[in-house]
Amino acid sequence: MNNALDTARRTLLAPAGLDETDLDRLLGQILTHRVDYADLYFQYSRHESWSLEEGQVKSGSYNVEQGVGVRAVSGEKTGFAYSDEILLPALSDAATAARAIARSGASAGMPVRQRSGAVPKLYAPLDPLASLEDAAKVKLLETVEAEAKRADPRVTQVMASLSGVQEVILVARSDGGLAADVRPLVRLNVTVIVEANGRRETGSHGGGGRVSYQYFLENDYARTYAREAVRQALVNLDADDAPAGSMQVVLGPGWPGILLHEAIGHGLEGDFNRKGTSAFAGMVGQQVAARGVTVVDDGTLADRRGSLNVDDEGTPTQKTVLIEDGILKGYLQDTLNARLMGVAPTGNGRRESYAHMPLPRMTNTYMLPGIRDPREIIASVEKGLYAVNFGGGQVDITNGKFVFSASEAYLIENGKVTRPVKGATLIGNGPDVLTRVTMVGNDLALDSGVGTCGKDGQSVPVGVGQPTLLIDGLTVGGTQQQ
Amino acid sequence: MTTTSRAKNTTASSEQLKALVGDVLAEAKRQGASSAEASVSVNQGLSVTVRLGEVETVEHNRDKGLALTLFFGKQSGSASTSDLSPAAVRDCVRAAATIARYTAADEFSGLADPDQLAREIPDLDLYYPWNPSVEQAIELSLACEDAARAVDARITNSEGATVYSYESTDVYGNSHGFLGATATTRHGISCAVIGQDDSGMQRDYWYTAARDRADLEAAAAVGKKAAERSVRRLGGRKLSTRQIPVIYEAPVASSLLSHFVGAIRGSSLYRRSSFLLDHLGKPVFAPQVRIHEQPFLKKALGSTPFDNDGVAPANRDIVRDGILQGYVLDVYSARKLGLRSTGNAGGVHNLTIEPGDQDLAGLLRQMGTGLLVTELIGFGVNGVTGDYSRGAAGFWVENGAIQYPVEEITIAGNLKDMFRGLVAVGNDVDPSGNIRTGSILIESMTLAGS
């Protein structure tokens, strides 16, 4: 009994009077042209969001989206069309448009349809929107506000939002594969403004995962997140200007793992490496990180924001070793790039929605822990920066240059964490930054569930993590010349 | 390639969409809303990418959507759907009504006052359908990429050239009786190629976009420019940390104005989360700076006859003689601040910083020694404090002449100081963007490097 598949049939196919023979017929219609591969991606999603400012939940929104994306692949060519009507004539139009990428002529026939076997259950197929009464959602946000205001009188503004998504997907592939997934996702976020002596600062925190809203209640996260946002804002209220120049940088555990995402994550995506446009192209087997550094992408972590039972091409996710003891082992692959590179897909084919084409993307990327005590790492630094919280980052995958911007950082002087300094952008070079990791902490942590990754205009939820790290020589983009 | 049958061409007429908005507002009333607003949009288009002389993707786009907000007195709820069937519309209205039961009464909520709504809806000449066939789009993409690859032997690889054409019909209506429609088109060509030599690989790109296909730069010119921009970056060096003047090349200079708009947006002001709080009537830029908005420019990408609240925008100065003349407000934030909407629900319209009379070469001479920035990465801008720190790449300049490419550096400062230290704006303006600026010379910033 495959519950996800039943739910998907009921949600996506039954209302339009479709069944699997219709899907086979549509795929057959595409296979009258010379294509290597084709798939149909059905998606239904419900999304809600509640937001609070000035002590009141003044707005809320609810969104429903559904549709089907039709893709035909011939060699390196992809034809893609989609419809927001799940109806046979619209699907047939889309199939006709997509298959035009290839000449007419028979492809290999459709093999017998196979359902994906034992589908893992990394998260419950629940509906987060229904997991809490609306009045309780409002109350949760009011708790955030009250706690932030209670935490410190210098808090002048609290903005909080709660959002939930339920997504049901079904993928039917021309190689006979059929897979479905029911994906919950929730998130709670808080941003505060603090003000004192004419100076204003901001702090934010949040979290979530593939769980119900009960996650926030059971763990009292509304209050925890509020206090953390206030703490960060107050640290920044006292911060001096950040230093400028190259120095030793200690990155804290958890969310600073966006270092990995920007420095190597995007550069190891299969499409860029197949095309030779990544600074990491052709480097499998070479040393790209210091010995002792092992980085994995793992879509199979229970309940995590970046996890998927199957990816958006129906491939089960897995734990993929990207860097092992400093050596580059492989790339993140979807089916198209895996086929063209002659390797197996890694369950990293992801898309924002039915209206977007799948691309190789990360799930949860993190570095395995080392042996150092984090206190020992800080104590080893004579003069440097200790960065523990970050905003976003970006990378130019071709020349490998990447940035990520600290939102909470401190100076390290003579082995001790001293004054807070304002956020600054850190810049480095992906293929060599990890070779300058000289110490790896024993305190691996994953982020709290807030990551969103953008590529080609498509956003997908992801996770990152790492232990405390010492990097010998990273450029810190502050304003104070040393 | 065989002849391609396009996904069926079914752009709904604006009359059909207006009727749908009317139905939605009627349904909202039926479900007890005291007032309501709704917008419907239908988009369709084609996007074709070629890479290394071969077709890579052919993408057919068709989207539609309904978004609505219901008010029950001062309580409100919003909902949206991509399904426009009568049953889905009813569900959508019901969802918004349910939400409104749980939201708090907000004295500032509600539609625009009737006297603020746009009375006339001028034709701004924004609709120039093209409907290229897949073959035409491929041919043009190939011409673009071929031109790029012919520029220099060091162009060794490509991310491809893309040609797209989209058209959209948007209708907004509310229960004050406002009902307006716009039909718009947007076409473009873009190209990204990779240069390579012993120093490594560099990627850069160029693009052109316009309402009217006839206003696009030639495909070959786009490709040539993309290739020249990639090749000139080869051999980039790091610089040591220093204090220097900086020129933002026009394509990246627009980001400075985006940060400015973010700081004078109503929502940033009433939340007190802006580094330009309480600056109305005060100097925020150097005294020669004028920044104005031109919402009614014919054929421009940022033009609109009414904003997302149905309010008419206006030709107006936002900064004159360096002094802040007005904010960027929608109906809600204006009410919160005790002001009138400036017609900016959804953003600014053709924001223009008055150009000076020098071209980029002239600006380089004026700067003498410093940094020409051609690319910025990262999001290191704090809108509350104005603290600014971003990754940069560009060229080191001495005696007004470009010396060599630089990379893996950051530039930092505070936006308040940077705006006050804005020395000059070039006349090298790209008229196709919603933010129109030439290159911008800033007096002093901190460059961090090796």
Side-chain angles (χ1 to χ4, degrees):
Chain A
M1 179 89 173
N2 186 328
N3 285 329
L5 206 47
D6 290 341
T7 304
R9 281 197 195 102
R10 200 168 56 240
T11 311
L12 295 162
L13 303 183
L18 297 172
D19 62 27
E20 278 146 49
T21 50
D22 295 308
L23 308 190
D24 290 347
R25 230 179 349 255
L26 283 162
L27 288 166
Q29 181 189 337
I30 300 172
L31 295 180
T32 60
H33 283 223
R34 289 182 193 156
V35 303
D36 297 321
Y37 174 83
D39 61 15
L40 310 172
Y41 177 86
F42 293 81
Q43 181 196 23
Y44 169 83
S45 78
R46 303 160 65 232
H47 169 269
E48 71 169 358
S49 149
W50 299 83
S51 54
L52 172 145
E53 63 177 21
E54 298 179 314
Q56 294 183 319
V57 176
K58 292 187 292 199
S59 61
S61 66
Y62 174 79
N63 172 265
V64 188
E65 215 179 337
Q66 62 173 21
V68 58
V70 180
R71 180 171 62 145
V73 179
S74 171
E76 298 187 23
K77 298 182 204 161
T78 300
F80 180 63
Y82 59 86
S83 167
D84 49 21
E85 283 167 358
I86 303 182
L87 291 171
L88 205 48
L91 286 171
S92 183
D93 282 352
T96 301
R99 75 177 181 189
I101 192 75
R103 290 172 202 283
S104 58
S107 306
M110 278 270 293
V112 177
R113 163 99 29 234
Q114 347 161 312
R115 283 176 209 152
S116 54
V119 177
K121 290 231 169 43
L122 304 171
Y123 35 82
L126 53 85
D127 175 8
L129 281 64
S131 69
L132 201 61
E133 295 291 321
D134 287 344
K137 295 169 193 168
V138 169
K139 185 141 181 298
L140 183 68
L141 289 171
E142 289 169 349
T143 307
V144 172
E145 148 93 16
E147 182 68 9
K149 280 281 171 67
R150 197 198 57 76
D152 197 283
R154 289 168 287 180
V155 173
T156 57
Q157 287 283 338
V158 182
M159 289 152 271
S161 63
L162 179 71
S163 64
V165 186
Q166 187 201 26
E167 182 180 71
V168 181
I169 67 130
L170 175 83
V171 191
R173 306 158 41 136
S174 63
D175 63 4
L178 180 72
D181 199 4
V182 178
R183 301 165 174 172
L185 189 65
V186 297
R187 178 156 173 183
L188 174 62
N189 251 64
V190 53
T191 297
V192 301
I193 308 278
V194 295
E195 203 165 337
N197 306 322
R199 196 167 152 177
R200 270 183 305 277
E201 261 298 350
T202 178
S204 3
H205 195 66
R210 298 202 178 276
V211 291
S212 78
Y213 288 132
Q214 301 300 329
Y215 171 79
F216 301 118
L217 295 172
E218 285 159 10
N219 300 286
D220 199 20
Y221 279 138
R223 272 181 267 264
T224 312
Y225 294 170
R227 285 194 296 268
E228 174 58 16
V230 172
R231 188 196 61 75
Q232 266 183 47
L234 292 176
V235 166
N236 284 324
L237 205 52
D238 292 327
D240 296 332
D241 287 341
S246 179
M247 61 195 73
Q248 287 195 310
V249 174
V250 177
L251 298 174
W255 179 240
I258 63 163
L259 161 80
L260 302 173
H261 176 70
E262 304 299 350
I264 62 160
H266 279 297
L268 297 183
E269 287 163 348
D271 48 354
F272 299 131
N273 288 285
R274 169 176 65 82
K275 297 174 185 176
T277 59
S278 165
F280 287 97
M283 289 182 75
V284 169
Q286 294 183 33
Q287 184 167 3
V288 296
R291 301 310 294 267
V293 171
T294 295
V295 180
V296 300
D297 181 80
D298 190 351
T300 69
L301 302 173
D303 297 340
R304 302 294 307 185
R305 182 172 164 85
S307 297
L308 298 171
N309 288 320
V310 292
D311 73 3
D312 295 327
E313 299 179 307
T315 308
T317 53
Q318 63 183 51
K319 180 171 177 175
T320 306
V321 177
L322 299 174
I323 295 172
E324 187 169 26
D325 199 16
I327 307 297
L328 180 61
K329 301 306 265 191
Y331 302 120
L332 300 170
Q333 296 290 3
D334 62 352
T335 54
L336 169 69
N337 290 287
R339 183 170 51 78
L340 293 171
M341 291 181 81
V343 297
T346 56
N348 289 95
R350 304 189 63 184
R351 59 203 297 174
E352 180 177 306
S353 78
Y354 67 87
H356 298 85
M357 283 190 281
L359 298 168
R361 307 289 295 267
M362 67 182 287
T363 57
N364 304 293
T365 303
Y366 58 95
M367 185 186 294
L368 300 189
I371 53 164
R372 300 285 189 166
D373 185 320
R375 286 168 297 189
E376 178 193 352
I377 296 177
I378 289 167
S380 76
V381 176
E382 198 170 312
K383 192 160 194 286
L385 189 79
Y386 178 47
V388 296
N389 269 304
F390 282 85
Q394 197 178 349
V395 60
D396 178 332
I397 53 111
T398 300
N399 65 22
K401 305 299 178 268
F402 70 93
V403 297
F404 57 138
S405 297
S407 55
E408 181 185 354
Y410 304 84
L411 289 183
I412 305 176
E413 295 167 300
N414 301 317
K416 290 198 166 56
V417 174
T418 57
R419 290 169 292 144
V421 290
K422 284 181 180 176
T425 288
L426 277 53
I427 189 163
N429 183 38
D432 78 39
V433 68
L434 294 186
T435 64
R436 282 183 284 111
V437 170
T438 52
M439 290 193 200
V440 180
N442 58 12
D443 55 342
L444 167 65
L446 300 176
D447 77 273
S448 57
V450 293
T452 297
C453 164
K455 174 178 174 182
D456 287 3
Q458 296 194 38
S459 294
V460 297
V462 297
V464 297
Q466 68 177 29
T468 296
L469 291 184
L470 172 60
I471 300 173
D472 215 1
L474 197 57
T475 299
V476 178
T479 54
Q480 294 305 299
Q481 278 183 257
Q482 298 299 289
Chain B
M1 293 287 298
T2 54
T3 306
T4 299
S5 52
R6 299 198 52 190
K8 214 188 290 171
N9 194 331
T10 53
T11 311
S13 74
S14 55
E15 292 313 311
Q16 285 171 298
L17 299 187
K18 279 181 170 175
L20 177 59
V21 167
D23 294 346
V24 171
L25 295 173
E27 178 64 27
K29 193 171 180 188
R30 209 162 21 246
Q31 294 197 25
S34 51
S35 60
E37 60 183 345
S39 57
V40 178
S41 65
V42 175
N43 315 302
Q44 68 162 12
L46 171 72
S47 164
V48 168
T49 300
V50 303
R51 179 174 171 267
L52 297 176
E54 300 283 341
V55 175
E56 185 169 64
T57 59
V58 174
E59 196 173 340
H60 300 271
N61 300 278
R62 265 172 92 185
D63 299 282
K64 57 186 170 26
L66 158 70
L68 54 88
T69 299
L70 264 51
F71 300 92
F72 293 80
K74 292 294 179 185
Q75 286 174 286
S76 70
S78 301
S80 65
T81 174
S82 61
D83 183 350
L84 305 186
S85 67
V89 168
R90 269 196 308 277
D91 288 348
C92 190
V93 171
R94 195 171 304 125
T98 304
I99 287 168
R101 275 203 290 280
Y102 295 96
T103 56
D106 178 358
E107 60 174 313
F108 303 104
S109 75
L111 302 175
D113 295 333
D115 69 323
Q116 283 191 288
L117 294 166
R119 280 191 192 81
E120 290 166 25
I121 298 177
D123 179 4
L124 299 176
D125 224 10
L126 307 176
Y127 185 68
Y128 285 83
W130 173 13
N131 296 321
S133 67
V134 171
E135 288 71 24
Q136 283 172 310
I138 290 171
E139 200 176 313
L140 208 52
S141 309
L142 288 172
C144 179
E145 198 201 33
D146 288 350
R149 295 171 70 199
V151 162
D152 193 298
R154 290 170 294 173
I155 297 294
T156 57
N157 204 341
S158 171
E159 285 189 357
T162 299
V163 168
Y164 65 84
S165 171
Y166 300 122
E167 60 178 88
S168 172
T169 307
D170 298 85
V171 173
Y172 169 84
N174 65 34
S175 54
H176 283 336
F178 181 89
L179 191 58
T182 54
T184 55
T185 48
R186 185 185 174 101
H187 317 293
I189 306 171
S190 65
C191 183
V193 288
I194 289 165
Q196 185 166 20
D197 67 6
D198 297 341
S199 68
M201 293 192 291
Q202 295 289 347
R203 165 198 181 277
D204 214 324
Y205 69 96
W206 195 248
Y207 73 96
T208 176
R211 298 284 187 199
D212 181 355
R213 176 206 172 180
D215 294 334
L216 293 174
E217 277 179 55
V222 171
K224 185 163 175 282
K225 207 150 177 189
E228 289 165 355
R229 292 177 71 85
S230 297
V231 168
R232 71 177 184 166
R233 295 179 63 173
L234 288 167
R237 309 182 203 171
K238 279 182 88 163
L239 290 171
S240 60
T241 301
R242 60 189 77 179
Q243 203 72 29
I244 37 117
V246 175
I247 292 175
Y248 285 71
E249 194 188 32
V252 293
S254 58
S255 66
L256 292 175
L257 294 175
S258 299
H259 302 321
F260 168 63
V261 170
I264 60 165
R265 185 172 291 141
S267 55
S268 308
L269 296 168
Y270 78 72
R271 291 172 184 152
R272 298 183 63 76
S273 61
S274 161
F275 64 94
L276 291 179
L277 278 188
D278 308 321
H279 274 67
L280 206 57
K282 293 182 185 163
V284 291
F285 275 91
Q288 81 283 8
V289 172
R290 177 184 178 222
I291 298 172
H292 58 118
E293 225 189 339
Q294 310 180 80
F296 307 117
L297 285 180
K298 294 277 167 128
K299 290 178 101 171
L301 285 171
S303 294
T304 185
F306 55 88
D307 77 355
N308 294 353
D309 290 329
V311 173
N315 286 309
R316 61 168 184 144
D317 280 4
I318 295 179
V319 172
R320 193 184 317 124
D321 302 329
I323 293 172
L324 186 63
Q325 307 292 319
Y327 295 134
V328 170
L329 306 174
D330 59 9
V331 165
Y332 180 77
S333 63
R335 277 201 197 114
K336 294 279 292 183
L337 295 163
L339 299 168
R340 272 179 80 83
S341 170
T342 54
N344 291 111
V348 292
H349 318 289
N350 302 315
L351 188 81
T352 307
I353 185 165
E354 198 70 15
D357 44 23
Q358 301 188 90
D359 59 8
L360 178 58
L363 279 190
L364 291 170
R365 281 192 299 274
Q366 185 177 353
M367 176 171 75
T369 295
L371 182 71
L372 169 65
V373 173
T374 58
E375 184 172 279
L376 290 165
I377 58 172
F379 311 97
V381 181
N382 183 333
V384 177
T385 60
D387 290 323
Y388 182 99
S389 167
R390 298 189 69 187
F395 299 87
W396 183 244
V397 177
E398 281 173 21
N399 301 317
I402 286 175
Q403 304 295 309
Y404 48 82
V406 295
E407 62 180 6
E408 204 178 334
I409 54 168
T410 61
I411 50 173
N414 186 283
L415 285 167
K416 271 199 269 192
D417 303 328
M418 290 159 64
F419 293 161
R420 295 293 291 278
L422 192 157
V423 178
V425 182
N427 62 13
D428 52 337
V429 182
D430 171 10
S432 72
N434 183 38
I435 292 183
R436 296 164 174 238
T437 178
S439 298
I440 288 179
L441 170 56
I442 303 288
E443 193 172 19
S444 178
M445 296 183 71
T446 305
L447 179 159
S450 50

